[in-house]
Every structure is written in C-alpha cells, then in structure tokens.
Amino acid sequence: MTNPMISVFDGHNDTLLRFAMQTASTPEALFEKGDGKGHFDLPRARAGGFTGGMFAVFPPPRDMPDMSRSMNGAAYDMPLPPPLPHHGAGDWTARMVAILLRLERAFPNDLAICRSAPDIRAAMASHKIAAVLHIEGAEAIDRDLMMLDVLHAVGLRSLGLVWSRPNIFAHGVPFRFPSSPDTGDGLTEAGRDLVRGCNERRILLDLSHLNEKGFWDVAALTDAPLVATHSNVHALCPSARNLTDKQLDAIAESKGVVGLNFATCFLRSDGQMRADTSLDDMVRHLDALVERLGEDGVAFGSDFDGAIVPAEVGSVAGLPNLLDRMRQAGYSEALLAKIAHGNWLSLLERSWA
C-alpha cells in the first residue's frame, strides 16, 4: 500500500537568495522549471508535497564563507563576516521581496503571499504554495523602525533579528563546534524596541541564529509564543546554533514551536557539514524535540537552499523520504500531519491573532 502524500509547510528556506544571485536565468524561469541546482522549484515542490512555508530574505555578506569546507573538522570556529551596512542590506532586501512579489504575479495559480493564517489555509485549499515573507537578519530595518512598517505593509509576518553576524539590534551565534550558545551580549536597546514593534504588528519573532542572552532577552519581553524556525537539539549536536534543554523548556512553556533544521552540521553529533548524513540523525532530533516540547511543538524548518542537507532528502522533492523514515520509527499519521504542517498553522494562528 502506498503511503498518502502529506502536505508540508516548512519553517525556513533561502530560495529567494538563490534566485537573486542567479544571473543565468530569471527567477520566474527558475521557479517554473528549475535549473537542476539548489533545493527548490515548482516541479520539485509539487513532487515533495510542499504546500507552503517561510520564504526568507537574507541579505548576504560581501564574501560568503564556504561553510562546506570550514565545518568539517573535529572542532571549528568559522570567522563571521563583518556587520553589513544598512544601505547594502536594504538593496538586497528590496530585491528579494520584489522577486517574491513577481513570482506571485507571474504564477497566480501556483503561489500566493500569505499575510494571515486564513490566507495560508485558503492557498493550500487551492493547491497554491502559501508563501510567508520572512526576514533573516534585520540589517535593512532602521533604528526608528520605519522600514518595518514598509515591509509589514508588503507582507512581512516573520522576522529573525539576526543572522549570525551582529547588527544594531542583537548578537548572533557563531558557527562554532563544540560550543555553548552563550557567546556574547544580548539585545541592544534598539533590539528591545524591535521586539516590541514586532509584537505590536503581530510579526512572529524567530530566535534561530540569536545567541543565548538574546534568546532570554526576547523571552522576557515578548507577549507571543517563542519560536525557532530552524534549530536543533544542543544535547545531541553541541553546535552554538542549537538549543539547550533550558531553551527548549522555555519554548515549550510558551506553547511555541521549533522547526527541525535539515542542515547536517546541526544534526550530526560530530557537527560536520556532509551530505552522507543518515535520516536516522533527523529522527533522533525529532524524537528529542517531541519529548521536550510535546507533539504540538515540533515542525520542519528545512533551510533548503541555505545548507547541505542529507542526500536521502536531497531537495524539496525528497520530503516524502523523511516522512517514510518517521513512519518506520513509529510516528503515527496524525503526528506526521502535525509536524509536517499542522503545528505551524496552529502556531501562526496564535501568534498573528
């Protein structure tokens, strides 16, 4: 008997950046047909049951480090790029937001930008990809939060204060292994204002990439559930990017959600970025997340187009392979549906209300 296709709403991808950096083809062509590269395009999304997710706007550093080469030793501490100037971040942010807007305009039957939970449910019911605009690294936002209003009007509904480099709002965690996430100072006063501004506008706050002090600063300020869209379990993989048991307990207490990051360096016990990583490593983290957060607190946050993922997944088309492995590990169909999409939809309904 063939297993049913389960719809997947994913907490994080970097596809807009891949499209923005590709000069050989247009974003519309890359979305419609793909180019055999990366992790995401419309045909592979349909094949994998991908029905929506957070589409990240990530302003890249001038010189993007080669993470696949830097994160393969027994221990590493990858140097972070310097802070990104506000004007440069603004240019990249506008470019990626425009790409998402153009994809919606070019493919009205295949993709919809969603600004509410009912929007997501309507898009999924119409077999459209439900795209939520997300910011990963708030360098494009000014101290007075004027750009936050502009982005919110366009459709911004989820925001991570930092990528791993520092900015005027907060300090991120380095790509360091093994390491605690307690790596520096917490939120600045501007960061506290940004948290309050997001709460007022009902913009989800993403704690992934934020260091531990920043995590606790947000937890003390926010009136919304705590969310890490793409993070894993520090007890199983002691990367600075992963969450400690104490952090996971705080997310559980707030009735928040953690999306499993598919990046192999945050899955493997040796912290290495290698495609020959077993799906069993993914299930190991899912088991630990379910144990700590409960069945309502766990989801997917793939990091497609932003990391090396296990070869057995390979791309968005390989999502059924992970779901089948979860079945083999004893996950019920009801729990699979929760982790694949139900928990994100419930969380967004509560966070955006």
Side-chain angles (χ1 to χ4, degrees):
M1 180 178 174
T2 302
N3 290 318
M5 178 73 80
I6 291 180
S7 297
V8 174
F9 186 95
D10 180 48
H12 188 90
N13 71 64
D14 285 300
T15 297
L16 294 177
L17 177 62
R18 181 168 71 86
F19 286 3
M21 297 183 79
Q22 173 61 266
T23 58
S25 188
T26 66
E28 291 86 349
L30 290 170
F31 176 76
E32 183 179 23
K33 297 181 179 179
D35 61 356
K37 300 176 183 178
H39 295 140
F40 184 93
D41 51 50
L42 180 59
R44 287 184 290 177
R46 296 298 193 207
F50 181 98
T51 55
M54 313 281 200
F55 282 70
V57 170
F58 165 51
R62 288 194 183 97
D63 296 309
M64 191 69 179
D66 186 346
M67 298 170 70
S68 63
R69 296 174 70 91
S70 302
M71 303 171 74
N72 273 329
Y76 51 80
D77 186 0
M78 196 173 79
L80 286 175
L84 192 66
H86 174 68
H87 66 276
D91 291 346
W92 275 105
T93 296
R95 188 174 182 179
M96 283 179 270
V97 171
I99 287 172
L100 190 59
L101 291 168
R102 290 180 180 187
L103 291 178
E104 181 184 47
R105 186 165 66 243
F107 303 99
N109 296 321
D110 296 303
L111 183 142
I113 298 173
C114 297
R115 296 164 174 82
S116 68
D119 283 354
I120 295 173
R121 294 191 183 278
M124 292 173 67
S126 299
H127 305 290
K128 299 178 185 180
I129 291 174
V132 174
L133 181 59
H134 169 81
I135 294 287
E136 183 178 36
E139 284 88 351
I141 296 173
D142 55 289
R143 177 65 180 84
D144 295 329
L145 307 186
M146 290 183 178
M147 185 54 70
L148 185 66
D149 283 326
V150 172
L151 290 168
H152 181 260
V154 173
L156 178 67
R157 292 297 182 270
S158 177
L159 179 143
L161 283 76
V162 290
W163 182 64
S164 285
R165 66 195 165 214
N167 59 30
I168 66 169
F169 302 110
H171 299 267
V173 285
F175 295 97
R176 182 183 298 165
F177 179 92
S179 173
S180 162
D182 185 11
T183 59
D185 296 333
L187 301 187
T188 65
E189 194 54 44
R192 295 174 185 275
D193 289 343
L194 180 54
V195 169
R196 296 184 189 102
C198 287
N199 280 175
E200 290 168 4
R201 294 161 181 80
R202 308 318 296 167
I203 296 171
L204 180 147
L205 287 160
D206 178 18
L207 300 168
S208 299
H209 285 284
L210 193 60
N211 68 6
E212 188 170 8
K213 285 187 173 66
F215 176 102
W216 295 116
D217 286 345
V218 172
L221 281 169
T222 186
D223 62 5
L226 301 179
V227 176
T229 63
H230 57 305
S231 293
N232 293 340
V233 180
H234 191 272
L236 298 179
C237 171
S239 166
R241 265 283 279 114
N242 284 340
L243 298 165
T244 66
D245 287 349
K246 186 177 179 182
Q247 289 174 301
L248 293 172
D249 289 345
I251 293 171
E253 186 176 349
S254 76
K255 295 183 169 50
V257 165
V258 174
L260 177 78
N261 193 327
F262 294 9
T264 63
C265 56
F266 308 133
L267 290 167
R268 300 170 60 101
S269 60
D270 62 8
Q272 296 195 3
M273 187 76 93
R274 292 173 48 175
D276 62 343
T277 296
S278 172
L279 296 184
D280 291 340
D281 287 312
M282 304 180 81
V283 173
R284 205 162 50 101
H285 281 265
L286 287 167
D287 288 347
L289 289 170
V290 170
E291 181 178 355
R292 210 88 202 182
L293 299 166
E295 293 188 356
D296 297 332
V298 185
F300 292 152
S302 68
D303 217 350
F304 282 142
D305 284 325
I308 291 175
V309 305
E312 290 179 82
V313 174
S315 75
V316 65
L319 286 166
N321 296 338
L322 172 58
L323 292 164
D324 283 344
R325 182 65 191 87
M326 292 166 67
R327 285 187 181 94
Q328 294 166 15
Y331 283 68
S332 68
E333 295 301 311
L335 182 52
L336 287 176
K338 279 188 172 187
I339 292 172
H341 61 265
N343 288 341
W344 273 132
L345 296 189
S346 175
L347 181 280
L348 295 175
E349 284 172 341
R350 289 180 279 116
S351 296
W352 291 345

